[in-house]
Amino acid sequence: MSMTLHNSPFFELFDGLNRQLSRGNNLFDTMVKSSGLDIVPPVDLIEKDDVFMLHASVPGAVPSNITIDFDRSNNELKIAGTVPETNIEEEDKDTHKYYREIKTGSFERTVRFGKDTIDEDGISAKYNNGVLEVLVPKVKPAAPESKVRRIQIGGIEEDSSKESA
């Protein structure tokens, strides 16, 4: 006895789940596009003793189309840019696109840091294999001051008789 996949309970369960996920993705895409952005790149923010490391996944972006700004008034680092359209051309009438999942368009992400924690002059960035890495160094803490201060006594003359002995 053979059963077609389309009539199986497994297929119906999988198909229903797939439709629900598609609705969720469409809702998310609608929210993102209504905010004026086409892409929300995923980021990782890693803190070490002396630096924050921000990794943003922006495959297809061209480094010259990416801007990185640090706003010292509110300690925010903003990355923004565009991912250009891919050149997928239909060669003839028999060619059809079934999926268009590669996101193109504008993107932006903002990360806020604590007050007076960032050495803004030391911020650097590099782009490799679709990942933007931004190194955000922390301000080096000032050397702790001694809590004890010795006070010199002024106006005392040395006894000259001790020096001649």
Side-chain angles (χ1 to χ4, degrees):
M1 173 177 174
S2 71
M3 181 186 299
T4 61
L5 184 62
H6 296 290
N7 292 334
S8 75
F10 175 76
F11 177 78
E12 290 174 16
L13 176 66
F14 180 75
D15 188 48
L17 180 61
N18 191 30
R19 277 185 272 138
Q20 291 297 325
L21 288 174
S22 293
R23 270 193 217 125
N25 287 340
N26 290 338
L27 177 62
F28 180 75
D29 288 344
T30 302
M31 289 174 12
V32 170
K33 290 190 181 192
S34 66
S35 70
L37 299 175
D38 299 312
I39 304 169
V40 178
V43 298
D44 292 336
L45 182 63
I46 301 160
E47 181 178 11
K48 293 190 172 191
D49 289 339
D50 59 345
V51 69
F52 290 98
M53 296 169 43
L54 176 80
H55 296 126
S57 178
V58 285
V62 179
S64 61
N65 291 343
I66 299 172
T67 60
I68 305 167
D69 296 313
F70 184 75
D71 182 353
R72 73 174 66 98
S73 67
N74 54 11
N75 292 320
E76 285 184 346
L77 180 80
K78 179 174 85 170
I79 60 170
T82 58
V83 176
E85 287 278 335
T86 56
N87 292 330
I88 300 175
E89 298 179 17
E90 294 184 11
E91 297 176 9
D92 57 45
K93 294 179 183 179
D94 296 333
T95 303
H96 302 284
K97 297 177 202 170
Y98 283 99
Y99 291 98
R100 181 82 180 196
E101 295 182 345
I102 297 174
K103 302 276 186 196
T104 60
S106 61
F107 64 86
E108 182 178 301
R109 285 301 296 260
T110 302
V111 177
R112 179 174 281 177
F113 296 95
K115 187 171 174 67
D116 300 325
T117 58
I118 302 303
D119 173 14
E120 64 185 85
D121 294 328
I123 297 173
S124 63
K126 63 182 179 181
Y127 181 82
N128 190 26
N129 293 330
V131 177
L132 176 67
E133 179 183 65
V134 183
L135 299 178
V136 184
K138 296 179 181 180
V139 173
K140 293 180 175 50
E145 294 183 25
S146 174
K147 294 185 181 198
V148 177
R149 180 175 168 234
R150 179 158 292 172
I151 310 301
Q152 298 294 322
I153 301 172
I156 299 179
E157 293 183 27
E158 294 277 337
D159 186 5
S160 59
S161 63
K162 288 185 180 178
E163 291 178 20
S164 52

